Amino acid sequence: MDRDIGGIRCSEVLARLGDVLEGDLLEADRARITTHVAGCVECRRFGVRYADLVAALRTSDVPPAVAAALDARLRVR
Amino acid sequence: MHLAAGGDARAFETLVTRYRGRVYHVALAITGDESAAEDALQETFLAVHRNAATFGGVAFRAWLYTIARHAALRSRRRQVPVPVADETLEALGEAAGWGADDELDGATLRTRLAGAIAQLGAEDREVLALRDLEERTTHETAAALGLSLQATKSRLHRARLRLAAKLRGEHHGS
Ligand SMILES: [Zn+2]
C-alpha cells in the first residue's frame, strides 16, 4: 500500500497524520493530503482510526472496577 | 462520596468523574502497571480532597497531574525495560492497521486502552502521558522531554502507532 494520489504517496500521508490532526500543515500540503485522502480509502480509514485513538486518550475513563474501588476508598475517609 | 457536605461534595464528585480517567492513564503511563496506577489514582484524589481549597483554580490541571505524577512515582514497582525497536514508519503503520480493513470499534478501544498502554515502553508511555493525556502543548512536551519539536512530534507519532498496534494485537497477534 503506497499509492501516489493527488501528488503524494500513502507513506507520506502516514508520516504526516500527527500534523494533520494538529492542523499543522502548509496550505500546499493540506491540499495534496486532502486530495489524496478523498481518493484513497485506506488512508481515509486509517486516518479515522488514528484520530479515534487520540480522542480516546483525551477522553479516557477508568475501567468500572477501578471506578468502584476509587469510590469506595473516597467514601471510607 | 461523602467527603464533604452539600455543594462541596458534589463539586468534588464532578471533579473526580471528569479527571479520573486521565489521572489513571497518566499514572499507568508512569508506572506501566495497572495495580500501581490504581493505587496512585486513589492517593491522588485523597490528596486533592485534603487540599480542597485549590479546587477549580486556573492552574488546577497542572497541579492535579503533578500530584498524580508524584503518587505514581511512589507506587511504581520495578520495571522491566521494553526495548524500543527502530522500525520504519511503514512497518509501525502496518502493525497499527494501516492498509488493513479490520475495524476497531470505540467500545473495544476504550476497554483495552489501559492494557495496551501498560504494554508500551517507558518512552512511548511518557510522551503519550504529556501530550495526549495531560494535553500539554507540543512545546511543553518537548521541553519536558528535552527534545526538539520535530523529535517530539516523531516520538509521539510512533508511540501512537505502537499503541494502535497493541490495541489491535489481541485480534492480530501484534
Ligand atoms: Zn493512501
Side-chain angles (χ1 to χ4, degrees), chain A residues 1 3 5 9-11 13 36 40-44, chain B residues 98:
Chain A
M1 166 183 173
R3 294 179 294 167
I5 298 172
R9 305 191 71 82
C10 296
S11 55
V13 173
H36 181 103
C40 180
V41 65
E42 281 88 2
C43 282
R44 200 156 60 236
Chain B
W98 180 59

Side-chain angles (χ1 to χ4, degrees), chain B residues 111-144:
Chain B
T111 308
R112 291 189 191 157
L113 194 58
I117 290 173
Q119 289 177 53
L120 294 173
E123 282 194 355
D124 287 343
R125 289 189 265 116
E126 177 65 7
V127 72
L128 291 171
L130 290 164
R131 185 71 188 95
D132 284 339
L133 293 165
E134 299 183 27
E135 296 188 78
R136 295 177 192 239
T137 65
T138 306
H139 279 89
E140 289 167 348
T141 304

Side-chain angles (χ1 to χ4, degrees), chain B residues 17-104:
Chain B
T17 306
R18 179 176 302 160
Y19 287 107
R20 66 188 180 191
R22 278 168 289 173
V23 165
Y24 173 71
H25 289 96
V26 166
L28 182 61
I30 289 166
T31 61
D33 179 292
E34 290 173 64
S35 80
E38 186 169 348
D39 291 345
L41 171 73
Q42 295 179 4
E43 292 310 316
T44 299
F45 282 107
L46 289 170
V48 168
H49 188 261
R50 282 195 298 273
N51 296 281
T54 43
F55 276 11
V58 175
F60 174 73
R61 278 208 316 201
W63 177 73
L64 174 68
Y65 292 130
T66 301
I67 294 176
R69 283 176 170 275
H70 286 136
L73 289 170
R74 278 195 304 275
S75 66
R76 183 160 63 171
R77 285 139 206 171
R78 187 193 302 270
Q79 295 197 77
V80 182
V82 178
V84 178
D86 200 15
E87 300 151 287
T88 66
L89 204 55
E90 286 84 352
L92 284 179
E94 278 163 15
W98 180 59
D101 61 3
D102 57 292
E103 304 271 339
L104 190 64

Side-chain angles (χ1 to χ4, degrees), chain A residues 1 3 7 10-11 18-19 28-30 35 40-42 50 53 59 61 64-66 72-73 77:
Chain A
M1 166 183 173
R3 294 179 294 167
C10 296
S11 55
D19 294 330
D29 289 340
R30 185 199 317 282
T35 305
C40 180
V41 65
E42 281 88 2
Y50 189 88
L53 173 63
T59 58
D61 201 353
V66 173
R73 180 83 187 275
R77 280 198 31 111

